[in-house]
Amino acid sequence: MTAAVAAAVPDSSWLGVELRHLVALRAVAQEQSFKGAARRLGYSQSAVSQQIAMLERLIGQTLLERSTGGRAVSLTAAGSLLLKHAEAIAARITTAKAEMDALAVGHAGVVRVGAFQTPGAKILPEALKRLLAQRPGVSVDLRESIGDMELLEQLERGLIDLTFAVLPLPEGPFEWTELVVDPFTALVSTRSPLAKREEISLEELGRQPLVCFRSCRITQIALDDLRVEGIEPTIVFRSDQNEVIQGAVATGVATAFLPCLSADERDPRTKLLRILPEVPPRVIAAAWRADRPLSPQAAALVDAARAVCSELRCPS
């Protein structure tokens, strides 16, 4: 056996570590009790205790601080370290299952894509049209969400092949390519005196009653940037639906503070205004797992999305 091969073979005691042991450790850590872990896994409490005891014997270290008097069970330093690896192993198993399931049903030509509202409405339809013109046998399985964090979690678990997301991405096994810079704008009713203008200052925007997204992490960052400038926004309404925000603005309820591409610029009831000075924009990207190369079909979809984004225009 070469030195390299020998180094790759675990200590013999570790060869006895099974996935069920790591699953039990994760469940105890999440529930902070053996009883809760047993309920979560559908095991008896004694079965969970036996699996943890076996894991500790195999590892040779104490993984849990057992408590008395009803206090929560906690991880030791060794347990916390092993749990990180257990989470990674569970994610890889989930990815393997998803890929095997796709292979079993002959879905080699399926691209599983995640999208939140803006790319789902403004980028994906035209990108899909171009993709199908190049690759007629491909189909797209779309997973939709209000925001990108849930989609990135699905990507990390191997449930989708790629997703639209907003930069910066959270820490994770991701690779990405920038698609489009989406500036923040003010959306006003055409019945408002502001509709006679093409731009609005940050200071004046701060004096307007505002409507904005509830769950968008980039909107929250932009609002915090306003506060750094000494402007405390007056938010009278929040929603996670583009159409609801557009409708609220159209009735004259408030001015919307939102990324340009989130608005329907064709709506005759509303008008987009530039904000000066500019607020840091939203940057939309396509993301995939760094440890899993894109299939030719998925790569072609990313290329199509990039081409569509090159043609998108916001008020300048």
Side-chain angles (χ1 to χ4, degrees):
M1 182 182 293
T2 66
V5 172
V9 176
D11 182 275
S12 59
S13 63
W14 281 72
L15 294 177
V17 176
E18 300 179 14
L19 182 60
R20 62 192 177 96
H21 299 145
L22 300 177
V23 169
L25 177 65
R26 183 172 63 171
V28 173
Q30 291 171 336
E31 297 292 335
Q32 297 185 302
S33 76
F34 287 91
K35 182 177 181 180
R39 185 170 54 249
R40 174 187 284 259
L41 297 174
Y43 296 163
S44 67
Q45 185 171 335
S46 62
V48 173
S49 297
Q50 290 170 11
Q51 289 176 16
I52 296 298
M54 175 60 73
L55 181 59
E56 289 181 323
R57 284 197 296 272
L58 293 169
I59 300 301
Q61 297 192 50
T62 300
L63 303 175
L64 295 171
E65 294 285 357
R66 276 76 167 173
S67 62
T68 59
R71 291 178 298 176
V73 176
S74 61
L75 292 168
T76 64
S80 296
L81 178 60
L82 184 59
L83 181 62
K84 292 180 182 179
H85 293 285
E87 295 283 7
I89 292 168
R92 293 303 296 266
I93 291 293
T94 301
T95 299
K97 181 182 184 302
E99 293 181 359
M100 294 296 290
D101 287 347
L103 180 64
V105 296
H107 279 185
V110 175
V111 182
R112 301 169 300 164
V113 182
F116 56 96
Q117 289 185 86
T118 297
K122 297 290 182 70
I123 302 173
L124 188 58
E126 179 62 26
L128 181 58
K129 176 183 175 182
R130 299 183 188 195
L131 174 67
L132 294 178
Q134 299 171 1
R135 297 172 178 266
V138 174
S139 64
V140 171
D141 179 11
L142 178 62
R143 314 291 176 88
E144 298 170 283
S145 178
I146 292 297
D148 64 346
M149 295 300 288
E150 179 183 349
L151 298 171
L152 287 166
E153 180 183 353
Q154 291 186 38
L155 178 63
E156 186 167 5
R157 294 170 57 196
L159 301 179
I160 53 179
D161 303 309
L162 67 113
T163 187
F164 294 96
V166 176
L167 300 181
L169 300 183
E171 184 177 350
F174 307 125
E175 189 171 339
W176 53 268
T177 182
E178 181 179 314
L179 295 177
V180 64
V181 175
D182 188 12
F184 273 87
T185 55
L187 184 70
V188 301
S189 168
T190 50
R191 293 182 291 176
S192 167
L194 292 172
K196 298 177 182 178
R197 300 160 49 177
E198 301 300 324
E199 60 190 45
I200 185 172
S201 70
L202 276 179
E203 183 179 356
E204 190 172 6
L205 182 67
R207 296 196 296 267
Q208 303 294 318
L210 296 179
V211 55
C212 63
F213 290 116
R214 177 188 297 111
S215 304
C216 175
R217 61 188 175 94
I218 301 303
T219 294
Q220 187 56 55
I221 292 173
L223 290 171
D224 290 341
D225 287 339
L226 293 184
R227 295 184 179 101
V228 169
E229 296 295 327
I231 299 169
E232 182 58 44
T234 303
I235 301 170
V236 298
F237 181 60
R238 292 179 184 266
S239 173
D240 282 325
Q241 298 295 329
N242 293 354
E243 296 83 359
V244 173
I245 289 179
Q246 189 103 20
V249 171
T251 64
V253 167
T255 295
F257 175 68
L258 79 175
C260 172
L261 294 176
S262 295
D264 182 357
E265 70 283 358
R266 301 164 301 177
D267 190 334
R269 304 171 300 167
T270 58
K271 181 180 179 180
L272 282 167
L273 305 182
R274 295 189 304 274
I275 299 174
L276 295 177
E278 294 182 352
V279 177
R282 174 174 70 172
V283 181
I284 298 176
W288 57 92
R289 286 190 60 127
D291 59 352
R292 183 180 169 201
L294 285 174
S295 67
Q297 297 92 338
L301 180 58
V302 171
D303 289 341
R306 190 181 294 111
V308 170
C309 289
S310 70
E311 300 169 6
L312 293 175
R313 295 290 180 268
C314 283
S316 58

